[in-house]
Amino acid sequence: MAGLVRHRFFWPVLTLVVLLVSNLFFTPDFFAVDVRQGHLYGSLIDIVRFGAPLILVSLGMTLVIATGGIDLSVGSVVAICGALACLRISELGDQNSVLGVLMAVGLALGLALLLGAWNGLLVAQFGIQPIIATLILMVAGRGLAQLITDGQIITVNSSPYKLIGGGYWLTVPFSILVALLVFGLALLLTRRTALGLLIESVGGNAEASRLAGIHARRIIFTGYVFAAFCAGVAGLMISSNVSSADGNNAGLWIELDAILAVVIGGTSLAGGRFSLGGTVLGALIIQTLTTTIYSIGIPPETTLLFKALVVTIVCLLQSPAFRAKVFGRRRKPPLPPAPERERQPKVEVPA
């Protein structure tokens, strides 16, 4: 049992189970999953479906943090990609044109890659601190999204585009399949090849890795590009689900949720150690927590406070030092020194 408690996924899994079970008190059929018109419906499906964008952003954030950095600009990239894709689709003569939608999606993802390359260039090549480099794009990117949308909400009516975030394929929401595909590819590349070991090596000590012959700058650069790509796909999902693009509110604060998901999943913010499975678990906890808040009826104004409280509790339970102080046994006071034996009088032995 002690070994199970010390497992890094024990407390996140327990938290997720508690959150899911607590919903039964407010929604008796919470675990019910139905098939309606060939589509899967249910609260559990909705949690994964609406959590898919956060899962994607968190996966990219995980690899960036694993290299010792951080990316605060993913929320702005979400807004930019959604805005650009919707703008291009709205300008099409036929918004249901598959080729036109594919070109709009490709253009948005291409811009996301360029934005990720910009971050990677500032951090890896010019040595700017990650929090500063990505803060620049975080501020400028939100303005760029508003420029693309001209400060308005762009609405589209495109069935092919609707498929990305609000459609179904093989009875399963398409966004879940996309998240699973990206997660599987990332897991395959980082755990079945040497890439994961190189990322952890660079995150542990970039200079030592460089001296050992590892292209540390290239690894860091790739991490930021991957994070921006994931954010771009998440932006397409969010705008597709509501068939509109809001440059001001799309992806707002999603970078903070992604960092929380990474921390809950057990990835070290100091770099050098990461867990993609733990990150997905953390993202599901945050999404389940959001669903639970609405189910319980907590006022929306206190949602962020409630979320911060739960995340703090999870992080404290994961801390070995906290558990040792709160749940650990008190150390027994050291035993008093043994009384000195009475010295026996020396017996002189005649030679």
Side-chain angles (χ1 to χ4, degrees), residues 270-295:
R273 179 169 56 89
F274 71 94
S275 170
L276 294 177
T279 295
V280 173
L281 190 58
L284 290 177
I285 288 176
I286 292 177
Q287 186 60 42
T288 306
L289 181 59
T290 304
T291 303
T292 305
I293 289 172
Y294 289 119
S295 300

Side-chain angles (χ1 to χ4, degrees), residues 289-307:
L289 181 59
T290 304
T291 303
T292 305
I293 289 172
Y294 289 119
S295 300
I296 295 176
I298 295 177
E301 295 81 6
T302 61
T303 299
L304 294 178
L305 183 61
F306 188 78
K307 188 184 295 184

Side-chain angles (χ1 to χ4, degrees), residues 95-182:
Q95 294 190 10
N96 290 320
S97 169
V98 176
L99 181 60
V101 170
L102 288 177
M103 291 181 65
V105 169
L107 182 63
L109 292 181
L111 181 57
L113 294 176
L114 286 177
L115 295 174
W118 168 258
N119 282 334
L121 191 68
L122 292 180
V123 176
Q125 298 297 328
F126 298 115
I128 299 178
Q129 291 183 353
I131 192 171
I132 302 300
T134 56
L135 185 62
I136 296 172
L137 184 57
M138 177 185 178
V139 177
R142 189 64 63 178
L144 178 59
Q146 293 181 5
L147 284 176
I148 293 174
T149 60
D150 198 19
Q152 304 295 321
I153 296 178
I154 300 177
T155 59
V156 296
N157 186 16
S158 172
S159 298
Y161 190 63
K162 183 72 176 178
L163 174 66
I164 299 175
Y168 290 80
W169 192 57
L170 299 176
T171 72
V172 181
F174 191 73
S175 57
I176 296 178
L177 297 176
V178 173
L180 283 175
L181 177 63
V182 175

Side-chain angles (χ1 to χ4, degrees), residues 41-272:
Y41 281 96
S43 299
L44 294 179
I45 301 297
D46 289 341
I47 288 175
V48 184
R49 175 186 172 189
F50 294 125
L54 178 59
I55 290 175
L56 287 176
V57 175
S58 301
L59 288 176
M61 186 71 76
T62 300
L63 295 189
V64 169
I65 290 178
T67 61
I70 199 167
D71 192 346
L72 299 180
S73 66
V74 287
S76 296
V77 176
V78 166
I80 292 172
C81 289
L84 183 59
C86 287
L87 177 65
R88 293 297 302 163
I89 293 173
S90 67
E91 293 174 348
L92 294 175
D94 180 12
Q95 294 190 10
N96 290 320
S97 169
V98 176
L99 181 60
V101 170
L102 288 177
M103 291 181 65
V105 169
L107 182 63
L109 292 181
L111 181 57
L113 294 176
L114 286 177
L115 295 174
W118 168 258
N119 282 334
L121 191 68
L122 292 180
V123 176
Q125 298 297 328
F126 298 115
I128 299 178
Q129 291 183 353
I131 192 171
I132 302 300
T134 56
L135 185 62
I136 296 172
L137 184 57
M138 177 185 178
V139 177
R142 189 64 63 178
L144 178 59
Q146 293 181 5
L147 284 176
I148 293 174
T149 60
D150 198 19
Q152 304 295 321
I153 296 178
I154 300 177
T155 59
V156 296
N157 186 16
S158 172
S159 298
Y161 190 63
K162 183 72 176 178
L163 174 66
I164 299 175
Y168 290 80
W169 192 57
L170 299 176
T171 72
V172 181
F174 191 73
S175 57
I176 296 178
L177 297 176
V178 173
L180 283 175
L181 177 63
V182 175
F183 171 69
L185 289 176
L187 197 64
L188 181 66
L189 291 175
T190 55
R191 294 310 181 196
R192 294 297 180 184
T193 69
L195 181 61
L197 186 61
L198 296 179
I199 291 174
E200 291 180 340
S201 174
V202 171
N205 192 323
E207 183 61 20
S209 301
R210 187 186 66 80
L211 295 175
I214 299 175
H215 294 284
R217 292 179 179 176
R218 191 178 301 172
I219 296 292
I220 295 173
F221 180 85
T222 305
Y224 283 95
V225 173
F226 177 72
F229 174 78
C230 290
V233 178
L236 296 178
M237 280 185 184
I238 294 174
S239 60
S240 164
N241 190 36
V242 295
S243 295
S244 63
D246 185 356
N248 191 31
N249 295 313
L252 193 63
W253 309 126
I254 196 172
E255 59 272 2
L256 301 184
D257 282 347
I259 294 172
L260 289 177
V262 173
V263 172
I264 292 174
T267 297
S268 172
L269 283 177

